[in-house]
Amino acid sequence: MNIQGHAALVTGGASGLGEATARALAAAGAKVAVLDVNFALAQKVATEIDGIACECDITSPDSVAAAIAKAAARHGPARILMNIAGIGTAKRVVQKDGSAAPLEDFARVINVNLVGTYNVSRLFAADCAKQPPLADGERGVMLFTASVAAFDGQVGQQAYSASKGGLVGMTLPMARDLPQHGIRVCTIAPGLFSTPLMKQLPEPVQQSLAASIPFPSRLGKPEEFAQLACHIVSNTHLNGEVIRLDGALRMAPR
């Protein structure tokens, strides 16, 4: 699909990988809607890329439906969906005081990262399937954002790894579910990237993490994630695939 002129939705588009992707899509000519729970930041990014900001809680069907409708009123129905919103946590199953890890913490991560992504995707797909086909019968494309933690999660990452592993596992069946509608589905599993969350860590810790990446031995740049996301949109033969973007990193247990 040629990105130029098409409407795109980017969840988590107000910062980090989502912001970089929203900017890259806009630079390629897409009409971008920045969906985020942080409406102030979403407005800032949207203004800078001539897009639209939509306050959106991806776990809420009503919130997502309202955001999609708001974006469509400005840009027309979306053909591109970038699912990048997500949260992380790390807790051992048995806490230092001997108690079990809180179930609500596990459930919250699963609900945001996995259920939330499915929620946005199902509503996007239903709208996208109604659009006239483009070249090769394609109507749209959606991206999931997993993590290398889906494959080699570290100590305490049970919830995060399970949520991202769920996205990896959902990729192929979703791609097999939507061919009759001309909608492709791919997933990027990023490694260690220089995001606002990463930058909160002390500099020595960031350097140590960067040194663990075989090559290049540095943190990934959000722009590199965005480049791959845009390539997935433009390369029509990419479908049902999970792509690691990690510099050959394989995470140690801790």
Side-chain angles (χ1 to χ4, degrees):
M1 179 191 299
N2 186 346
I3 294 173
Q4 176 74 39
H6 290 306
L9 308 172
V10 182
T11 73
S15 63
L17 302 180
E19 178 184 353
T21 302
R23 292 184 183 279
L25 286 169
K31 298 175 289 186
V32 180
V34 180
L35 281 59
D36 207 286
V37 291
N38 190 328
F39 186 56
L41 273 182
Q43 282 185 309
K44 178 179 182 296
V45 174
T47 298
E48 293 174 356
I49 64 174
D50 195 25
I52 183 173
C54 302
E55 187 170 6
C56 182
D57 173 1
I58 63 172
T59 67
S60 165
D62 290 342
S63 179
V64 173
I68 290 176
K70 178 181 177 181
R74 168 77 70 85
H75 295 155
R79 291 187 183 269
I80 300 167
L81 169 61
M82 298 290 173
N83 284 297
I84 305 178
I87 60 173
T89 186
K91 287 197 174 181
R92 288 178 177 266
V93 177
V94 180
Q95 304 287 283
K96 288 183 178 180
D97 63 2
S99 64
L103 181 59
E104 56 269 24
D105 289 353
F106 184 93
R108 178 169 178 264
V109 175
I110 298 295
N111 193 42
V112 173
N113 293 355
L114 181 56
V115 180
T117 295
Y118 179 78
N119 184 37
V120 180
S121 299
R122 71 186 181 91
L123 295 173
F124 163 81
D127 278 355
C128 189
K130 299 170 186 174
Q131 304 313 307
L134 304 170
D136 290 334
E138 184 176 28
R139 287 186 172 86
V141 56
M142 70 172 75
L143 174 81
F144 300 154
T145 303
S147 166
V148 295
F151 309 101
D152 34 70
Q154 296 184 296
V155 167
Q157 284 191 322
Q158 290 85 359
Y160 186 70
S161 294
S163 69
K164 296 301 187 177
L167 294 175
V168 168
M170 189 164 67
T171 304
L172 183 59
M174 186 79 90
R176 288 173 164 174
D177 192 79
L178 295 172
Q180 67 269 35
H181 303 297
I183 300 172
R184 295 184 292 115
V185 184
C186 281
T187 293
I188 299 176
L192 300 174
F193 273 71
S194 181
T195 61
L197 185 63
M198 180 67 73
K199 290 176 181 177
Q200 292 177 9
L201 297 175
E203 185 61 31
V205 175
Q206 293 185 50
Q207 292 177 0
S208 175
L209 290 171
S212 68
I213 301 172
F215 187 82
S217 293
R218 59 164 173 79
L219 297 176
K221 301 174 184 178
E223 294 79 11
E224 292 169 323
F225 178 96
Q227 288 169 8
L228 179 55
C230 289
H231 179 73
I232 288 170
V233 175
S234 61
N235 189 331
T236 308
H237 209 58
L238 271 173
N239 194 18
E241 188 59 70
V242 178
I243 305 169
R244 290 183 68 132
L245 186 64
D246 59 15
L249 173 70
R250 296 299 180 267
M251 300 291 284
R254 57 172 58 85

